[in-house]
Amino acid sequence: MKALRLLRWSGSVLSPRTRPCCFFIHQTQYRNPLAINLLRFQSTAPIQFQPAIEPEDDPEPGETERAEDFFHNTPTQEERESILSQLPSPHPQHAHKSARLSALHTRLMLPHRLPLETLARCLVDPSADIDPHFNNSSLSILGYDLLGLYTSEAVLCRHPRLPTEVMFAAMWAYCGPKTLAAITREWGVEVAAAPGGEVDPGYLQCKHVEAGNASVDGTGVQVKELPIVATDAKGKPTLGELGWRRGVSSRTVKSDYFGDEIKRTELDYAERPELCREDLQRKLENGVTLETASTNFVRALMGAVYLHAGKKAAYNFFKAHILSRHLEFSKLFEFRQPTRDLSRLCAREGFESPVARILSETGRKSRSPVFVVGVFAGKDKLGEGSGSSLDEARIRAAVGALKGWYLYSPLEVNVPSQAVRGGDWKPVMVDGGEVVV
């Protein structure tokens, strides 16, 4: 089986300005306002325009002549600068003139196959430029799926017995919005005060949302005090807004990688794309937070590395910047009744009932006594804990036994995405699941 060439089928993600194989631009209908947008597709090398006018409606008188004059008459340098300054995002040819962008490319040790034009596109948020050919929306979607895939398989293959809630927390800690925003700051990426065509391509460009305590015009009500109500197709509020608790099974099937409920616009995109575009456009007009823009940038860069450099380079980029961050899995647990959970676990696995025994003690009649208690199942010690009272030591011993079970990790960790084609695949461990009380 031959490997697919990513540039052959990535036309929906890479715009003509970033694909090295595009030297011609075909347009089906020209209008005078498109003159600015067509200039954005021009690269540093000369591009040959081949207009193919096939309008659905008859053009207005003189409109075709104005379009032809625009293509045959080369604009002057002053006219080009005035037109480029009106663009919502920088021109692609400005990427090679940005020292900040080149420094970011070198600092992150990005592959040489990733051009500066694509890196500059990753820094353009949809709130700054709504055109999908020049913002990072498509690359961000691809990067979101890649980060979720690599993170989930790394967590589950390393700790196959993790409960679902802990797995969601680990996913959020590795590739959640707050983590990706912190990574953007660690990379040294600065944010532009306002997006525009004259901004250096090395800045993160987005339209900033108003402050949370800003008042609505003419109402005297603050934005943070407005009720947020999500409704379904019939206009009724959803269950999540009514405050009903969603179970773990529902979060596993109908939620994203972090266990959060998928938004209505994302669920109904295939059925009602017009409504979703209107909601998205309305949301982008209001602006986004810095955390959202930083998250989209890191996801878009992940997708760009995958498209230009391939699967291996994308996974190495993930290991270097995401998986290399240290996470204490033992601090993600929160047991309400550990002794009961340990009894149910032993009954499910066929062990003897756990029994707590005192291992040592000191200062029983003093002001600060210390008791060391161990939990045994037959002759096997499951856990050990210490405390200022017997109950505290027994609970800590049960918690230690449960963590020792759930944090089991195999000696050799194999992830499915890194399986060698045609080689021997070593299956990973699949646990029976967490204890249900």
Side-chain angles (χ1 to χ4, degrees):
M1 180 178 179
K2 297 183 179 180
L4 296 176
R5 295 186 179 181
L6 298 178
L7 291 178
R8 293 288 183 88
W9 53 269
S10 58
S12 60
V13 179
L14 297 178
S15 62
R17 72 173 189 174
T18 59
R19 300 184 67 185
C21 59
C22 293
F23 297 98
F24 301 95
I25 295 179
H26 302 275
Q27 295 291 336
T28 58
Q29 184 177 1
Y30 289 130
R31 291 288 187 266
N32 192 23
L34 288 179
I36 297 179
N37 288 332
L38 289 176
L39 277 178
R40 304 172 65 184
F41 284 96
Q42 294 183 355
S43 61
T44 55
I47 296 180
Q48 178 181 359
F49 292 92
Q50 296 182 355
I53 302 178
E54 297 179 358
E56 299 178 359
D57 303 329
D58 295 336
E60 299 179 0
E63 187 174 358
T64 305
E65 289 77 4
R66 289 196 300 269
E68 293 178 355
D69 294 340
F70 171 77
F71 286 105
H72 292 292
N73 299 329
T74 303
T76 61
Q77 184 66 20
E78 297 180 356
E79 294 176 352
R80 285 182 60 90
E81 292 180 357
S82 62
I83 292 176
L84 294 178
S85 62
Q86 302 175 8
L87 299 177
S89 61
H91 192 274
Q93 70 179 6
H94 293 171
H96 294 275
K97 303 178 182 179
S98 174
R100 186 181 301 272
L101 198 64
S102 301
L104 179 62
H105 193 285
T106 306
R107 187 186 310 124
L108 300 182
M109 294 184 292
L110 298 177
H112 296 286
R113 298 185 61 181
L114 179 64
L116 292 177
E117 291 86 353
T118 306
L119 181 59
R121 179 186 174 186
C122 295
L123 290 168
V124 180
D125 192 76
S127 60
D129 192 348
I130 200 172
D131 193 345
H133 293 89
F134 299 96
N135 58 32
N136 59 9
S137 58
S138 55
L139 295 173
S140 178
I141 295 174
L142 177 60
Y144 168 77
D145 293 334
L146 290 174
L147 287 177
L149 170 64
Y150 292 153
T151 307
S152 59
E153 68 179 8
V155 172
L156 291 179
C157 294
R158 185 180 301 178
H159 300 286
R161 292 176 177 172
L162 283 182
T164 306
E165 296 286 348
V166 179
M167 185 197 67
F168 286 148
M171 292 284 296
W172 182 270
Y174 271 118
C175 58
K178 294 185 179 299
T179 303
L180 298 185
I183 290 176
T184 304
R185 293 191 299 267
E186 293 173 1
W187 287 349
V189 179
E190 300 181 7
V191 186
E198 73 283 355
V199 181
D200 191 309
Y203 286 98
L204 178 61
Q205 303 186 49
C206 63
K207 183 179 180 181
H208 299 274
V209 68
E210 295 184 358
N213 57 354
S215 59
V216 183
D217 298 336
T219 59
V221 181
Q222 294 182 351
V223 175
K224 63 181 181 180
E225 296 177 354
L226 293 178
I228 302 176
V229 179
T231 58
D232 54 8
K234 298 181 180 180
K236 298 181 180 180
T238 57
L239 298 180
E241 298 296 334
L242 295 177
W244 294 4
R245 183 178 180 273
R246 299 173 61 235
V248 178
S249 300
S250 176
R251 296 181 63 186
T252 305
V253 178
K254 300 181 179 180
S255 302
D256 56 4
Y257 292 112
F258 313 118
D260 297 333
E261 185 178 4
I262 301 178
K263 299 180 181 180
R264 175 177 57 87
T265 54
E266 298 178 0
L267 290 175
D268 301 340
Y269 182 77
E271 300 178 0
R272 295 182 294 173
E274 299 179 357
L275 176 61
C276 297
R277 293 193 188 98
E278 294 177 0
D279 295 344
L280 179 61
Q281 185 175 4
R282 189 183 308 108
K283 179 180 179 181
L284 296 179
E285 290 177 355
N286 297 332
V288 296
T289 60
L290 180 59
E291 179 180 312
T292 303
S294 303
T295 302
N296 293 335
F297 161 65
V298 179
R299 292 173 178 174
L301 185 57
M302 182 69 186
V305 173
Y306 180 81
L307 287 178
H308 285 277
K311 174 182 175 182
K312 184 177 180 180
Y315 191 77
N316 292 335
F317 180 82
F318 167 78
K319 289 175 58 179
H321 299 282
I322 305 296
L323 198 59
S324 60
R325 308 177 71 87
H326 179 68
L327 177 62
E328 287 286 349
F329 284 88
S330 60
K331 296 182 179 180
L332 301 178
F333 290 87
E334 182 179 358
F335 300 99
R336 297 183 178 179
Q337 295 183 0
T339 55
R340 184 184 63 176
D341 295 344
L342 182 60
S343 299
R344 295 293 181 88
L345 176 62
C346 293
R348 191 190 70 176
E349 298 297 329
F351 302 151
E352 296 183 11
S353 299
V355 178
R357 300 173 184 172
I358 299 179
L359 300 180
S360 63
E361 63 174 291
T362 178
R364 177 185 285 266
K365 296 183 180 181
S366 65
R367 186 175 181 180
S368 54
V370 177
F371 300 92
V372 180
V373 176
V375 178
F376 293 84
K379 297 182 179 180
D380 299 328
K381 185 172 72 171
L382 304 180
E384 181 180 331
S386 61
S388 58
S389 63
L390 291 175
D391 291 338
E392 181 182 357
R394 179 171 56 88
I395 291 176
R396 288 187 177 182
V399 170
L402 289 174
K403 288 184 178 181
W405 173 267
Y406 285 127
L407 292 178
Y408 162 78
S409 179
L411 297 179
E412 297 182 2
V413 180
N414 301 319
V415 293
S417 63
Q418 299 302 311
V420 180
R421 183 176 54 198
D424 296 335
W425 162 246
K426 296 181 180 179
V428 297
M429 174 185 175
V430 179
D431 188 69
E434 57 186 296
V435 179
V436 179
V437 181

